[in-house]
Amino acid sequence: MKRPLLVAPLLLAACGGGELSLSLTSDDLGDNSLSLSAPADLTTVRALNITVDEVWVHVSGDDIPDVVRGEDVAASSDGWHLLTAEDRSFDLMTVRGGAAWPLGDFPLPTGRLTQVRLKLKAYLAPAVERASLPGAVVEQDGTACDLNVPASVIEPGLKLSGLLPAMRIEAGGRYRALVNLKIKDSTKVDGATCAYKLDPVLKVKWSGGGGDSK
């Protein structure tokens, strides 16, 4: 059951803030670590299907540094806003090589945008440290495999990591953010059941008031 915070976008629209156009991609440009002898990872599969369950952003006041560290924005801190709780399903292999999928246009309050959080939907209850998404991966020969991810991508969600320019949101401003869900840190798991292990990394490229996360 979705939380009452579904009304958050409507409340934000009345605050005289800006608007954020948010899109999702999955590129690992600049990572050339794969060799012929390396084990198979998710960049070699035919399909990688995920469902984004919720999209959140964190907006702080103006009294923060121009550059923040994503890990320092706690999931329990004030300033989080739920943009959407509508399930959106994606094949991440279709948003590579410069392609992107729109997540939507959302009103934001004025302030400094310091974090984005995506909650992925799990079809099994998360374990203590890892969660499984059955059949999320399809190999080139059509074999369906499970996807093993940290339970934290389900709850509280996958956040931006590393250094992040805090994007200033001004009244009437229009901004863009391209969220990059990197899948390079993955490998096929040996076992009786076909499965891949993924520790996803989330980065962002701002447009209209900030730079890129590092």
Side-chain angles (χ1 to χ4, degrees), residues 58-77:
H58 186 272
V59 181
S60 299
D62 289 330
D63 56 341
I64 62 168
D66 289 336
V67 177
V68 298
R69 184 172 296 277
E71 293 82 356
D72 293 340
V73 182
S76 58
S77 64

